[in-house]
Amino acid sequence: MKKLVFASLMLASVNGFAQGTMKDIMKRIQVGVTAGGNYSDFMNADFDTEGLPGFHAGLILGFKINDKLSIQEEFLFSQQGAKLKGDFLEKQDLKLYYMSVPILLKYRTKSGVYFEAGPQASFKVKEDVVGITGEDFAEKLDFGVAGGLGFQSKSGFGIGARYVYGFSPVGAFKTSAVKKDFTNTVAQVSIFYIF
């Protein structure tokens, strides 16, 4: 009988601890939405380009470590690329569409100002390029690092600015003498709401 009472107490204790832990974890999870503008270009290209305006939008999933630190993952649909100015593929807006996944360590002050940094992986969904047939202009995967700052109010609304520096070569085409190891760079301004 003593063993049955002891086992029941242990089970109740473990169950209570698990429920308390689960409630604590659920309080730390943050979910939100974000959208904004991009200004992208290629770095180290041996053909003439200038910045291309674009957009991004997506979902935010975060986990609060404590009141100041959190880890934030985003799932963004992002239009990037560049305006081509020279002879390579003639003058056109070269648009690359990615699903980008930044994973950021975020430090937020008591005033609501925050700083963030971390890696980003992007998966090409589509490209809009005139003049290349039968092959892709850009690689399917793009890797980089992101850093930014912004302000998040206690109500969950916020605004942020971020710079993404690509470090993997973009070019996938084989039919041109142009070097293919240029990289993506993107400046972003966003508004967001965390529920």
Side-chain angles (χ1 to χ4, degrees), residues 90-133:
E90 301 179 359
K91 294 181 181 179
Q92 66 169 299
D93 289 353
L94 195 156
K95 296 177 182 175
L96 306 174
Y97 299 90
Y98 291 98
M99 283 302 301
S100 296
V101 183
I103 301 173
L104 307 167
L105 182 63
K106 193 171 182 178
Y107 177 82
R108 186 169 169 229
T109 65
K110 287 184 180 179
S111 66
V113 174
Y114 69 83
F115 304 91
E116 62 186 7
Q120 174 173 297
S122 298
F123 310 91
K124 188 183 70 173
V125 176
K126 178 185 169 189
E127 60 183 41
D128 187 2
V129 181
V130 176
I132 291 187
T133 55

mmCIF file of all heavy atoms in Angstrom, residues 90-133:
data_model
loop_
_atom_site.group_PDB
_atom_site.id
_atom_site.type_symbol
_atom_site.label_atom_id
_atom_site.label_comp_id
_atom_site.label_asym_id
_atom_site.label_seq_id
_atom_site.Cartn_x
_atom_site.Cartn_y
_atom_site.Cartn_z
ATOM 1 N N GLU A 90 21.687 42.803 -71.543
ATOM 2 C CA GLU A 90 21.058 44.092 -71.839
ATOM 3 C C GLU A 90 20.484 44.716 -70.565
ATOM 4 O O GLU A 90 20.581 44.171 -69.490
ATOM 5 C CB GLU A 90 19.997 43.929 -72.926
ATOM 6 C CG GLU A 90 20.567 43.367 -74.223
ATOM 7 C CD GLU A 90 19.515 43.189 -75.278
ATOM 8 O OE1 GLU A 90 18.330 43.473 -75.032
ATOM 9 O OE2 GLU A 90 19.887 42.755 -76.379
ATOM 10 N N LYS A 91 19.856 45.866 -70.713
ATOM 11 C CA LYS A 91 19.286 46.555 -69.546
ATOM 12 C C LYS A 91 17.962 45.910 -69.180
ATOM 13 O O LYS A 91 17.071 45.786 -70.018
ATOM 14 C CB LYS A 91 19.080 48.042 -69.857
ATOM 15 C CG LYS A 91 20.375 48.793 -70.067
ATOM 16 C CD LYS A 91 20.123 50.245 -70.333
ATOM 17 C CE LYS A 91 21.450 50.964 -70.561
ATOM 18 N NZ LYS A 91 21.262 52.386 -70.846
ATOM 19 N N GLN A 92 17.860 45.490 -67.930
ATOM 20 C CA GLN A 92 16.615 44.887 -67.437
ATOM 21 C C GLN A 92 16.654 44.810 -65.922
ATOM 22 O O GLN A 92 17.708 44.912 -65.307
ATOM 23 C CB GLN A 92 16.410 43.484 -68.028
ATOM 24 C CG GLN A 92 17.446 42.452 -67.590
ATOM 25 C CD GLN A 92 17.064 41.045 -67.980
ATOM 26 O OE1 GLN A 92 16.026 40.540 -67.555
ATOM 27 N NE2 GLN A 92 17.893 40.411 -68.812
ATOM 28 N N ASP A 93 15.469 44.648 -65.336
ATOM 29 C CA ASP A 93 15.364 44.363 -63.903
ATOM 30 C C ASP A 93 15.452 42.851 -63.736
ATOM 31 O O ASP A 93 14.594 42.117 -64.213
ATOM 32 C CB ASP A 93 14.034 44.868 -63.338
ATOM 33 C CG ASP A 93 13.967 46.377 -63.268
ATOM 34 O OD1 ASP A 93 14.988 47.037 -63.522
ATOM 35 O OD2 ASP A 93 12.879 46.899 -62.971
ATOM 36 N N LEU A 94 16.515 42.410 -63.104
ATOM 37 C CA LEU A 94 16.732 40.989 -62.893
ATOM 38 C C LEU A 94 16.160 40.646 -61.517
ATOM 39 O O LEU A 94 16.703 41.069 -60.495
ATOM 40 C CB LEU A 94 18.228 40.700 -62.952
ATOM 41 C CG LEU A 94 18.629 39.245 -63.109
ATOM 42 C CD1 LEU A 94 20.000 39.162 -63.728
ATOM 43 C CD2 LEU A 94 18.545 38.502 -61.823
ATOM 44 N N LYS A 95 15.051 39.920 -61.491
ATOM 45 C CA LYS A 95 14.349 39.654 -60.230
ATOM 46 C C LYS A 95 14.519 38.199 -59.819
ATOM 47 O O LYS A 95 14.254 37.287 -60.594
ATOM 48 C CB LYS A 95 12.869 39.990 -60.368
ATOM 49 C CG LYS A 95 12.626 41.463 -60.637
ATOM 50 C CD LYS A 95 11.155 41.766 -60.834
ATOM 51 C CE LYS A 95 10.949 43.241 -61.139
ATOM 52 N NZ LYS A 95 9.543 43.541 -61.455
ATOM 53 N N LEU A 96 14.969 38.009 -58.581
ATOM 54 C CA LEU A 96 15.117 36.686 -57.984
ATOM 55 C C LEU A 96 14.174 36.601 -56.785
ATOM 56 O O LEU A 96 14.170 37.499 -55.945
ATOM 57 C CB LEU A 96 16.560 36.459 -57.533
ATOM 58 C CG LEU A 96 17.639 36.663 -58.593
ATOM 59 C CD1 LEU A 96 19.019 36.557 -57.965
ATOM 60 C CD2 LEU A 96 17.484 35.672 -59.724
ATOM 61 N N TYR A 97 13.404 35.543 -56.718
ATOM 62 C CA TYR A 97 12.435 35.374 -55.625
ATOM 63 C C TYR A 97 12.898 34.220 -54.736
ATOM 64 O O TYR A 97 13.154 33.117 -55.222
ATOM 65 C CB TYR A 97 11.044 35.080 -56.192
ATOM 66 C CG TYR A 97 10.524 36.198 -57.065
ATOM 67 C CD1 TYR A 97 10.787 36.208 -58.427
ATOM 68 C CD2 TYR A 97 9.791 37.243 -56.519
ATOM 69 C CE1 TYR A 97 10.318 37.234 -59.238
ATOM 70 C CE2 TYR A 97 9.312 38.273 -57.322
ATOM 71 C CZ TYR A 97 9.587 38.261 -58.676
ATOM 72 O OH TYR A 97 9.114 39.280 -59.478
ATOM 73 N N TYR A 98 13.009 34.506 -53.446
ATOM 74 C CA TYR A 98 13.533 33.534 -52.485
ATOM 75 C C TYR A 98 12.546 33.299 -51.342
ATOM 76 O O TYR A 98 11.777 34.191 -50.970
ATOM 77 C CB TYR A 98 14.827 34.049 -51.851
ATOM 78 C CG TYR A 98 16.016 34.125 -52.761
ATOM 79 C CD1 TYR A 98 16.378 35.326 -53.358
ATOM 80 C CD2 TYR A 98 16.818 33.016 -52.999
ATOM 81 C CE1 TYR A 98 17.492 35.416 -54.184
ATOM 82 C CE2 TYR A 98 17.937 33.094 -53.816
ATOM 83 C CZ TYR A 98 18.268 34.288 -54.403
ATOM 84 O OH TYR A 98 19.374 34.379 -55.202
ATOM 85 N N MET A 99 12.630 32.105 -50.751
ATOM 86 C CA MET A 99 12.095 31.848 -49.416
ATOM 87 C C MET A 99 13.310 31.931 -48.502
ATOM 88 O O MET A 99 14.218 31.107 -48.591
ATOM 89 C CB MET A 99 11.451 30.464 -49.310
ATOM 90 C CG MET A 99 10.078 30.373 -49.939
ATOM 91 S SD MET A 99 8.858 31.531 -49.272
ATOM 92 C CE MET A 99 8.792 31.096 -47.554
ATOM 93 N N SER A 100 13.350 32.958 -47.672
ATOM 94 C CA SER A 100 14.505 33.208 -46.802
ATOM 95 C C SER A 100 14.174 32.831 -45.370
ATOM 96 O O SER A 100 13.073 33.110 -44.883
ATOM 97 C CB SER A 100 14.907 34.685 -46.869
ATOM 98 O OG SER A 100 15.335 35.004 -48.170
ATOM 99 N N VAL A 101 15.155 32.226 -44.697
ATOM 100 C CA VAL A 101 14.975 31.796 -43.309
ATOM 101 C C VAL A 101 16.143 32.332 -42.476
ATOM 102 O O VAL A 101 17.173 31.663 -42.333
ATOM 103 C CB VAL A 101 14.888 30.258 -43.204
ATOM 104 C CG1 VAL A 101 14.619 29.836 -41.759
ATOM 105 C CG2 VAL A 101 13.821 29.703 -44.135
ATOM 106 N N PRO A 102 16.007 33.556 -41.933
ATOM 107 C CA PRO A 102 17.027 34.031 -40.990
ATOM 108 C C PRO A 102 16.767 33.456 -39.598
ATOM 109 O O PRO A 102 15.616 33.306 -39.181
ATOM 110 C CB PRO A 102 16.838 35.553 -41.001
ATOM 111 C CG PRO A 102 15.422 35.765 -41.431
ATOM 112 C CD PRO A 102 15.030 34.586 -42.269
ATOM 113 N N ILE A 103 17.848 33.128 -38.888
ATOM 114 C CA ILE A 103 17.767 32.689 -37.490
ATOM 115 C C ILE A 103 18.620 33.673 -36.693
ATOM 116 O O ILE A 103 19.842 33.682 -36.820
ATOM 117 C CB ILE A 103 18.265 31.245 -37.316
ATOM 118 C CG1 ILE A 103 17.424 30.305 -38.176
ATOM 119 C CG2 ILE A 103 18.211 30.831 -35.846
ATOM 120 C CD1 ILE A 103 17.928 28.886 -38.213
ATOM 121 N N LEU A 104 17.960 34.518 -35.903
ATOM 122 C CA LEU A 104 18.608 35.682 -35.306
ATOM 123 C C LEU A 104 18.610 35.630 -33.779
ATOM 124 O O LEU A 104 17.595 35.273 -33.168
ATOM 125 C CB LEU A 104 17.894 36.950 -35.758
ATOM 126 C CG LEU A 104 17.741 37.111 -37.278
ATOM 127 C CD1 LEU A 104 16.768 38.220 -37.601
ATOM 128 C CD2 LEU A 104 19.090 37.371 -37.910
ATOM 129 N N LEU A 105 19.723 36.004 -33.198
ATOM 130 C CA LEU A 105 19.786 36.254 -31.764
ATOM 131 C C LEU A 105 19.417 37.717 -31.577
ATOM 132 O O LEU A 105 20.012 38.604 -32.203
ATOM 133 C CB LEU A 105 21.182 35.975 -31.224
ATOM 134 C CG LEU A 105 21.354 36.151 -29.718
ATOM 135 C CD1 LEU A 105 20.487 35.156 -28.954
ATOM 136 C CD2 LEU A 105 22.819 35.996 -29.326
ATOM 137 N N LYS A 106 18.413 37.984 -30.742
ATOM 138 C CA LYS A 106 17.865 39.331 -30.597
ATOM 139 C C LYS A 106 18.034 39.806 -29.149
ATOM 140 O O LYS A 106 17.655 39.095 -28.211
ATOM 141 C CB LYS A 106 16.380 39.284 -30.965
ATOM 142 C CG LYS A 106 15.706 40.593 -31.166
ATOM 143 C CD LYS A 106 14.299 40.354 -31.742
ATOM 144 C CE LYS A 106 13.576 41.635 -32.006
ATOM 145 N NZ LYS A 106 12.257 41.409 -32.602
ATOM 146 N N TYR A 107 18.635 40.996 -28.993
ATOM 147 C CA TYR A 107 18.808 41.603 -27.673
ATOM 148 C C TYR A 107 17.926 42.842 -27.611
ATOM 149 O O TYR A 107 18.089 43.766 -28.405
ATOM 150 C CB TYR A 107 20.269 41.982 -27.441
ATOM 151 C CG TYR A 107 20.492 42.676 -26.121
ATOM 152 C CD1 TYR A 107 20.621 41.944 -24.953
ATOM 153 C CD2 TYR A 107 20.545 44.069 -26.039
ATOM 154 C CE1 TYR A 107 20.812 42.579 -23.731
ATOM 155 C CE2 TYR A 107 20.732 44.702 -24.826
ATOM 156 C CZ TYR A 107 20.864 43.953 -23.682
ATOM 157 O OH TYR A 107 21.040 44.589 -22.475
ATOM 158 N N ARG A 108 16.986 42.854 -26.667
ATOM 159 C CA ARG A 108 16.034 43.957 -26.544
ATOM 160 C C ARG A 108 16.238 44.683 -25.220
ATOM 161 O O ARG A 108 16.260 44.061 -24.159
ATOM 162 C CB ARG A 108 14.612 43.409 -26.628
ATOM 163 C CG ARG A 108 13.555 44.467 -26.663
ATOM 164 C CD ARG A 108 12.208 43.855 -27.020
ATOM 165 N NE ARG A 108 11.164 44.828 -26.803
ATOM 166 C CZ ARG A 108 10.053 44.599 -26.133
ATOM 167 N NH1 ARG A 108 9.821 43.413 -25.626
ATOM 168 N NH2 ARG A 108 9.172 45.546 -25.976
ATOM 169 N N THR A 109 16.376 46.019 -25.301
ATOM 170 C CA THR A 109 16.552 46.831 -24.101
ATOM 171 C C THR A 109 15.198 47.102 -23.449
ATOM 172 O O THR A 109 14.147 46.860 -24.042
ATOM 173 C CB THR A 109 17.241 48.161 -24.445
ATOM 174 O OG1 THR A 109 16.368 48.928 -25.281
ATOM 175 C CG2 THR A 109 18.568 47.933 -25.147
ATOM 176 N N LYS A 110 15.218 47.663 -22.251
ATOM 177 C CA LYS A 110 13.967 48.001 -21.554
ATOM 178 C C LYS A 110 13.149 49.029 -22.322
ATOM 179 O O LYS A 110 11.926 49.060 -22.238
ATOM 180 C CB LYS A 110 14.270 48.525 -20.150
ATOM 181 C CG LYS A 110 14.708 47.457 -19.188
ATOM 182 C CD LYS A 110 14.910 48.016 -17.798
ATOM 183 C CE LYS A 110 15.346 46.937 -16.842
ATOM 184 N NZ LYS A 110 15.567 47.451 -15.488
ATOM 185 N N SER A 111 13.814 49.902 -23.069
ATOM 186 C CA SER A 111 13.111 50.940 -23.828
ATOM 187 C C SER A 111 12.426 50.399 -25.081
ATOM 188 O O SER A 111 11.644 51.089 -25.717
ATOM 189 C CB SER A 111 14.076 52.051 -24.228
ATOM 190 O OG SER A 111 15.038 51.555 -25.140
ATOM 191 N N GLY A 112 12.733 49.141 -25.463
ATOM 192 C CA GLY A 112 12.139 48.545 -26.656
ATOM 193 C C GLY A 112 13.066 48.513 -27.858
ATOM 194 O O GLY A 112 12.766 47.872 -28.864
ATOM 195 N N VAL A 113 14.194 49.217 -27.781
ATOM 196 C CA VAL A 113 15.183 49.175 -28.860
ATOM 197 C C VAL A 113 15.841 47.795 -28.857
ATOM 198 O O VAL A 113 16.144 47.256 -27.801
ATOM 199 C CB VAL A 113 16.252 50.280 -28.679
ATOM 200 C CG1 VAL A 113 17.360 50.148 -29.714
ATOM 201 C CG2 VAL A 113 15.605 51.658 -28.758
ATOM 202 N N TYR A 114 16.024 47.215 -30.048
ATOM 203 C CA TYR A 114 16.644 45.896 -30.113
ATOM 204 C C TYR A 114 17.748 45.852 -31.172
ATOM 205 O O TYR A 114 17.789 46.666 -32.093
ATOM 206 C CB TYR A 114 15.604 44.798 -30.391
ATOM 207 C CG TYR A 114 15.006 44.851 -31.778
ATOM 208 C CD1 TYR A 114 15.660 44.275 -32.866
ATOM 209 C CD2 TYR A 114 13.779 45.461 -32.001
ATOM 210 C CE1 TYR A 114 15.119 44.330 -34.133
ATOM 211 C CE2 TYR A 114 13.235 45.517 -33.265
ATOM 212 C CZ TYR A 114 13.909 44.943 -34.327
ATOM 213 O OH TYR A 114 13.375 45.005 -35.588
ATOM 214 N N PHE A 115 18.634 44.884 -30.996
ATOM 215 C CA PHE A 115 19.710 44.589 -31.937
ATOM 216 C C PHE A 115 19.626 43.103 -32.260
ATOM 217 O O PHE A 115 19.311 42.296 -31.375
ATOM 218 C CB PHE A 115 21.076 44.921 -31.324
ATOM 219 C CG PHE A 115 21.176 46.338 -30.849
ATOM 220 C CD1 PHE A 115 20.836 46.665 -29.537
ATOM 221 C CD2 PHE A 115 21.574 47.339 -31.709
ATOM 222 C CE1 PHE A 115 20.908 47.981 -29.088
ATOM 223 C CE2 PHE A 115 21.650 48.654 -31.272
ATOM 224 C CZ PHE A 115 21.319 48.980 -29.963
ATOM 225 N N GLU A 116 19.908 42.737 -33.509
ATOM 226 C CA GLU A 116 19.782 41.336 -33.906
ATOM 227 C C GLU A 116 20.891 40.959 -34.881
ATOM 228 O O GLU A 116 21.390 41.800 -35.629
ATOM 229 C CB GLU A 116 18.421 41.078 -34.558
ATOM 230 C CG GLU A 116 18.199 41.881 -35.822
ATOM 231 C CD GLU A 116 16.804 41.749 -36.393
ATOM 232 O OE1 GLU A 116 15.931 41.141 -35.755
ATOM 233 O OE2 GLU A 116 16.585 42.266 -37.502
ATOM 234 N N ALA A 117 21.275 39.679 -34.876
ATOM 235 C CA ALA A 117 22.285 39.184 -35.802
ATOM 236 C C ALA A 117 22.181 37.674 -35.881
ATOM 237 O O ALA A 117 21.788 37.012 -34.917
ATOM 238 C CB ALA A 117 23.681 39.591 -35.348
ATOM 239 N N GLY A 118 22.539 37.134 -37.071
ATOM 240 C CA GLY A 118 22.551 35.688 -37.240
ATOM 241 C C GLY A 118 22.637 35.277 -38.690
ATOM 242 O O GLY A 118 22.655 36.113 -39.595
ATOM 243 N N PRO A 119 22.678 33.960 -38.936
ATOM 244 C CA PRO A 119 22.785 33.446 -40.300
ATOM 245 C C PRO A 119 21.437 33.460 -41.024
ATOM 246 O O PRO A 119 20.376 33.508 -40.388
ATOM 247 C CB PRO A 119 23.263 32.009 -40.090
ATOM 248 C CG PRO A 119 22.679 31.633 -38.768
ATOM 249 C CD PRO A 119 22.711 32.901 -37.934
ATOM 250 N N GLN A 120 21.507 33.414 -42.354
ATOM 251 C CA GLN A 120 20.292 33.339 -43.164
ATOM 252 C C GLN A 120 20.527 32.376 -44.321
ATOM 253 O O GLN A 120 21.551 32.441 -44.998
ATOM 254 C CB GLN A 120 19.903 34.711 -43.712
ATOM 255 C CG GLN A 120 18.717 34.656 -44.672
ATOM 256 C CD GLN A 120 18.233 36.024 -45.077
ATOM 257 O OE1 GLN A 120 17.782 36.797 -44.225
ATOM 258 N NE2 GLN A 120 18.305 36.345 -46.353
ATOM 259 N N ALA A 121 19.571 31.482 -44.550
ATOM 260 C CA ALA A 121 19.573 30.593 -45.713
ATOM 261 C C ALA A 121 18.386 30.972 -46.592
ATOM 262 O O ALA A 121 17.292 31.232 -46.078
ATOM 263 C CB ALA A 121 19.464 29.138 -45.275
ATOM 264 N N SER A 122 18.608 31.026 -47.901
ATOM 265 C CA SER A 122 17.543 31.375 -48.839
ATOM 266 C C SER A 122 17.462 30.319 -49.934
ATOM 267 O O SER A 122 18.487 29.827 -50.414
ATOM 268 C CB SER A 122 17.797 32.752 -49.468
ATOM 269 O OG SER A 122 17.798 33.758 -48.494
ATOM 270 N N PHE A 123 16.241 29.991 -50.318
ATOM 271 C CA PHE A 123 15.972 28.977 -51.319
ATOM 272 C C PHE A 123 15.243 29.648 -52.485
ATOM 273 O O PHE A 123 14.153 30.187 -52.304
ATOM 274 C CB PHE A 123 15.113 27.855 -50.720
ATOM 275 C CG PHE A 123 15.667 27.340 -49.419
ATOM 276 C CD1 PHE A 123 15.265 27.892 -48.204
ATOM 277 C CD2 PHE A 123 16.619 26.343 -49.404
ATOM 278 C CE1 PHE A 123 15.788 27.445 -47.000
ATOM 279 C CE2 PHE A 123 17.150 25.890 -48.206
ATOM 280 C CZ PHE A 123 16.735 26.435 -47.004
ATOM 281 N N LYS A 124 15.850 29.620 -53.663
ATOM 282 C CA LYS A 124 15.250 30.302 -54.812
ATOM 283 C C LYS A 124 13.960 29.610 -55.228
ATOM 284 O O LYS A 124 13.926 28.396 -55.413
ATOM 285 C CB LYS A 124 16.229 30.332 -55.986
ATOM 286 C CG LYS A 124 15.751 31.194 -57.144
ATOM 287 C CD LYS A 124 16.698 31.143 -58.316
ATOM 288 C CE LYS A 124 16.600 29.776 -58.936
ATOM 289 N NZ LYS A 124 17.319 29.593 -60.170
ATOM 290 N N VAL A 125 12.896 30.406 -55.367
ATOM 291 C CA VAL A 125 11.598 29.902 -55.775
ATOM 292 C C VAL A 125 11.385 30.140 -57.269
ATOM 293 O O VAL A 125 10.835 29.300 -57.982
ATOM 294 C CB VAL A 125 10.476 30.596 -54.966
ATOM 295 C CG1 VAL A 125 9.110 30.152 -55.431
ATOM 296 C CG2 VAL A 125 10.650 30.355 -53.485
ATOM 297 N N LYS A 126 11.837 31.302 -57.751
ATOM 298 C CA LYS A 126 11.576 31.711 -59.126
ATOM 299 C C LYS A 126 12.595 32.773 -59.505
ATOM 300 O O LYS A 126 13.139 33.467 -58.651
ATOM 301 C CB LYS A 126 10.153 32.286 -59.198
ATOM 302 C CG LYS A 126 9.727 32.810 -60.530
ATOM 303 C CD LYS A 126 8.345 33.454 -60.429
ATOM 304 C CE LYS A 126 8.047 34.205 -61.702
ATOM 305 N NZ LYS A 126 6.855 35.021 -61.612
ATOM 306 N N GLU A 127 12.846 32.908 -60.802
ATOM 307 C CA GLU A 127 13.663 34.017 -61.285
ATOM 308 C C GLU A 127 13.016 34.592 -62.537
ATOM 309 O O GLU A 127 12.385 33.875 -63.311
ATOM 310 C CB GLU A 127 15.101 33.592 -61.548
ATOM 311 C CG GLU A 127 15.291 32.502 -62.575
ATOM 312 C CD GLU A 127 16.743 32.086 -62.723
ATOM 313 O OE1 GLU A 127 17.464 31.976 -61.714
ATOM 314 O OE2 GLU A 127 17.154 31.874 -63.870
ATOM 315 N N ASP A 128 13.159 35.903 -62.706
ATOM 316 C CA ASP A 128 12.602 36.608 -63.859
ATOM 317 C C ASP A 128 13.777 37.254 -64.603
ATOM 318 O O ASP A 128 14.196 38.364 -64.279
ATOM 319 C CB ASP A 128 11.600 37.666 -63.368
ATOM 320 C CG ASP A 128 10.853 38.337 -64.487
ATOM 321 O OD1 ASP A 128 11.064 37.969 -65.662
ATOM 322 O OD2 ASP A 128 10.056 39.244 -64.204
ATOM 323 N N VAL A 129 14.329 36.502 -65.588
ATOM 324 C CA VAL A 129 15.513 36.930 -66.320
ATOM 325 C C VAL A 129 15.254 36.735 -67.811
ATOM 326 O O VAL A 129 14.901 35.636 -68.235
ATOM 327 C CB VAL A 129 16.758 36.106 -65.916
ATOM 328 C CG1 VAL A 129 17.992 36.588 -66.664
ATOM 329 C CG2 VAL A 129 16.982 36.166 -64.422
ATOM 330 N N VAL A 130 15.440 37.787 -68.588
ATOM 331 C CA VAL A 130 15.290 37.702 -70.039
ATOM 332 C C VAL A 130 16.674 37.459 -70.631
ATOM 333 O O VAL A 130 17.644 38.118 -70.263
ATOM 334 C CB VAL A 130 14.681 39.005 -70.603
ATOM 335 C CG1 VAL A 130 14.611 38.952 -72.120
ATOM 336 C CG2 VAL A 130 13.317 39.262 -70.003
ATOM 337 N N GLY A 131 16.781 36.499 -71.562
ATOM 338 C CA GLY A 131 18.041 36.303 -72.268
ATOM 339 C C GLY A 131 18.786 35.044 -71.927
ATOM 340 O O GLY A 131 19.758 34.705 -72.589
ATOM 341 N N ILE A 132 18.374 34.327 -70.881
ATOM 342 C CA ILE A 132 18.996 33.043 -70.563
ATOM 343 C C ILE A 132 17.926 31.973 -70.728
ATOM 344 O O ILE A 132 16.878 32.024 -70.084
ATOM 345 C CB ILE A 132 19.576 33.014 -69.131
ATOM 346 C CG1 ILE A 132 20.782 33.933 -69.040
ATOM 347 C CG2 ILE A 132 19.956 31.606 -68.736
ATOM 348 C CD1 ILE A 132 21.531 33.877 -67.740
ATOM 349 N N THR A 133 18.177 31.037 -71.629
ATOM 350 C CA THR A 133 17.203 29.970 -71.869
ATOM 351 C C THR A 133 17.859 28.624 -71.616
ATOM 352 O O THR A 133 19.040 28.436 -71.872
ATOM 353 C CB THR A 133 16.672 30.022 -73.317
ATOM 354 O OG1 THR A 133 17.784 29.972 -74.212
ATOM 355 C CG2 THR A 133 15.865 31.279 -73.578
#
